[in-house]
Amino acid sequence: MDYSSIFFVIFFIGTAFNYVLNHTLEFIDYKNRKIHGKEIPEKLAGFIDEKTISKTCDYEDAKYKLWIPQDTFSTIISLVMICSGFYWWVLNYIHTNITQSTFLCLFLFGIFSTLPLRILEIPFELYREFVVEKKFGFSTMTLKTWILDTLKNFFISIIMIVLLLGAMTLIFKFFENTWWLFLGLVYIGFSLLISIIYPLFIAPLFNKFSPLPEGELKNRLEILLQKCGFKSSGLYVMDASKRSKHSNAYFTGFGKSKRVVLYDTLIAQLTPSEIEAVLGHELGHYKKHHIIKRLCVMIPVIILILYAAFVLSRTPSVYQAFGFNFSQGGLAEMTNGVVGESWGNVPQFIGIFLLGVIFGGFSDLAGAVSNYFSRKDEFEADAFAKEICGTGESLSTALIKLNKENLSEISVPKIYSVFNYNHPPILERLKALGYIQ
């Protein structure tokens, strides 16, 4: 380890910045909740009573008090693993005692290096699901369902890791100087492929999707889809209540696999006109080309990030800063980016990994920028829903009901929403819709 290295210093500053920023923001929100959390705007008084607003504050407090130790322990464990050379020890042990195959070495490293943090997360996840969420009437999850979901997620993740690592290994081998470009293209293509596969094969592993029954709601939604020129493979109801009483609606898929999904909890909570307005909002994203615009921004960003990883992977001091010492033909023989045969293309992968380590602590700054544009898109989608439905009242009352049913805060500090809300806070949305002043 080289604690004086500029790369280690950047990592340490980023970690401290991330910890202080998030705990400061959460404390600001907590104090605001204590002072203004139980205030009910006049226009919302008919929907939200004192009992509900008090329960909302208690729910947010419970999540906050659980988050404090979870984030603290996670930060400490991460620092210990980095500063102790844990990652290098794992990689070197696998390479020396198990396999020198680049693919298998990286696959096993990906699994074993994430185990400590994953094990730490489990008790917090269980407490949140079976104590906090059940206490406030949300969770309908059974332990059996939680275990099955965990196993399904694990095996799906393994399949995706194998596919991506296989592609990465081949790209590193055949495109030594341009792997950053080809890897970016593969990542983008893989993401698009997942958007097609997910609704057809992955989502049904977790939930049951049934066609929306005939009736007023289906008729209204089909007319709305036709009006917007949106072609989908169907309207579906998801049995979300099997796990939680939280509600939502979304589009999923790409091309012919596009489908509209409504949580059964959403149907139970809203009127047909309100659900129509919610769907109108989602259609607003489609009509305003928000997903395509986001892709046009993200594609060059991903390419630039991978190019930065390419540059870092050819800089020996990056590895040395975190205790990686590829001897026997690896980093020790690195000259102008040429790596010896002993470690194969492992250093390139580790270069990408270390890029995340070094700059990961500053991700909230990028997140704040992303949130700004996301909130802008949400306002545009709200305006579209208001226009297509002829009024903003149905969407406004739907938002209020969803806010109430999900026990979401009504008033949040502006600085908190900047970093934590990719959707505008409800009061801002209601003002934009003209429902409140």
Side-chain angles (χ1 to χ4, degrees):
M1 300 294 294
D2 183 1
Y3 300 120
S4 63
S5 168
I6 183 61
F7 298 109
F8 187 88
V9 171
I10 292 173
F11 152 73
F12 190 80
I13 291 174
T15 301
F17 170 77
N18 178 270
Y19 184 84
V20 172
L21 173 66
N22 282 288
H23 281 262
T24 300
L25 290 172
E26 292 295 337
F27 182 73
I28 289 173
D29 186 47
Y30 172 74
K31 293 297 291 184
N32 180 77
R33 192 159 56 244
K34 291 300 180 184
I35 298 172
H36 302 292
K38 296 183 180 180
E39 297 175 357
I40 305 175
E42 182 180 350
K43 196 79 173 183
L44 277 60
F47 294 92
I48 303 174
D49 54 26
E50 292 184 2
K51 181 180 179 180
T52 300
I53 201 70
S54 179
K55 186 178 181 181
T56 297
C57 291
D58 291 341
Y59 177 54
E60 292 295 330
D61 286 348
K63 290 192 296 181
Y64 173 52
K65 290 173 183 177
L66 177 63
W67 174 82
I68 293 173
Q70 181 179 8
D71 186 70
T72 299
F73 288 142
S74 177
T75 301
I76 292 172
I77 295 298
S78 296
L79 280 170
V80 169
M81 289 195 298
I82 291 292
C83 298
S84 66
F86 170 80
Y87 291 110
W88 164 246
W89 179 85
V90 170
L91 181 65
N92 190 47
Y93 181 86
I94 293 170
H95 180 264
T96 303
N97 299 285
I98 301 178
T99 179
Q100 291 191 0
S101 162
T102 297
F103 174 81
L104 289 177
C105 188
L106 295 177
F107 176 74
L108 293 175
F109 174 76
I111 292 177
F112 291 118
S113 65
T114 57
L115 273 180
L117 281 174
R118 181 60 192 138
I119 292 173
L120 172 69
E121 290 172 353
I122 291 176
F124 289 103
E125 289 181 3
L126 289 171
Y127 187 87
R128 175 164 182 166
E129 185 66 45
F130 293 102
V131 177
V132 175
E133 293 294 308
K134 283 192 179 292
K135 177 182 177 181
F136 290 92
F138 288 120
S139 177
T140 56
M141 180 88 72
T142 64
L143 182 59
K144 177 183 177 181
T145 301
W146 186 89
I147 293 173
L148 288 175
D149 282 356
T150 301
L151 291 175
K152 290 174 187 176
N153 279 315
F154 174 76
F155 286 114
I156 291 171
S157 298
I158 291 296
I159 292 172
M160 291 184 179
I161 289 172
V162 167
L163 292 174
L164 282 175
L165 274 183
M168 290 174 70
T169 303
L170 292 174
I171 290 172
F172 287 151
K173 181 177 181 180
F174 293 106
F175 303 99
E176 293 185 0
N177 296 316
T178 55
W179 60 256
W180 52 274
L181 175 60
F182 288 96
L183 188 56
L185 296 176
V186 166
Y187 176 82
I188 294 163
F190 185 78
S191 299
L192 293 175
L193 179 63
I194 290 297
S195 70
I196 297 174
I197 293 175
Y198 178 82
L200 300 177
F201 302 106
I202 299 178
L205 295 175
F206 296 90
N207 292 95
K208 181 180 178 181
F209 294 82
S210 305
L212 183 65
E214 298 293 336
E216 178 191 358
L217 177 59
K218 184 176 181 180
N219 292 336
R220 295 183 74 140
L221 299 188
E222 287 182 339
I223 292 172
L224 182 63
L225 291 174
Q226 292 175 2
K227 188 185 297 185
C228 295
F230 183 88
K231 296 181 180 180
S232 75
S233 61
L235 295 162
Y236 292 87
V237 180
M238 189 182 89
D239 62 340
S241 57
K242 178 181 178 181
R243 291 173 174 79
S244 173
K245 293 182 180 179
H246 288 296
S247 52
N248 196 10
Y250 64 90
F251 290 141
T252 185
F254 184 77
K256 293 183 179 180
S257 69
K258 285 188 301 187
R259 57 172 60 181
V260 177
V261 177
L262 306 174
Y263 283 23
D264 56 356
T265 49
L266 183 83
I267 295 175
Q269 293 166 2
L270 303 183
T271 66
S273 63
E274 289 169 340
I275 295 174
E276 180 184 28
V278 170
L279 180 57
H281 168 89
E282 297 300 330
L283 286 168
H285 290 303
Y286 165 73
K287 295 297 289 185
K288 298 295 182 180
H289 308 294
H290 290 157
I291 296 175
I292 295 176
K293 290 177 181 177
R294 183 64 62 93
L295 282 174
C296 290
V297 173
M298 290 306 299
I299 289 174
V301 169
I302 290 170
I303 298 296
L304 285 173
I305 290 174
L306 287 171
Y307 181 74
F310 167 72
V311 173
L312 285 178
S313 72
R314 299 161 69 93
T315 308
S317 57
V318 171
Y319 301 92
Q320 294 164 352
F322 297 94
F324 286 84
N325 184 19
F326 296 100
S327 59
Q328 300 179 359
L331 185 63
E333 295 181 12
M334 201 180 245
T335 304
N336 296 324
V338 179
V339 182
E341 296 180 358
S342 176
W343 283 92
N345 300 109
V346 171
Q348 282 93 326
F349 176 87
I350 298 300
I352 297 175
F353 168 72
L354 291 179
L355 177 69
V357 169
I358 295 168
F359 298 104
F362 301 100
S363 61
D364 280 338
L365 297 178
V369 175
S370 176
N371 286 343
Y372 169 80
F373 289 103
S374 178
R375 290 193 299 269
K376 183 174 179 291
D377 290 346
E378 294 301 322
F379 280 127
E380 287 186 358
D382 282 352
F384 178 85
K386 179 179 179 179
E387 178 184 354
I388 200 71
C389 294
T391 175
E393 183 169 354
S394 292
L395 180 58
S396 297
T397 56
L399 292 173
I400 295 169
K401 288 181 180 180
L402 292 176
N403 199 84
K404 172 189 174 182
E405 296 296 335
N406 290 308
L407 295 182
S408 300
E409 292 182 279
I410 294 178
S411 174
V412 295
K414 183 66 177 179
I415 187 64
Y416 184 82
S417 67
V418 166
F419 285 94
N420 290 281
Y421 278 47
N422 56 15
H423 283 55
I426 184 170
L427 294 182
E428 293 183 20
R429 297 181 74 175
L430 295 178
K431 288 178 182 178
L433 286 167
Y435 191 74
I436 62 174
Q437 299 301 317

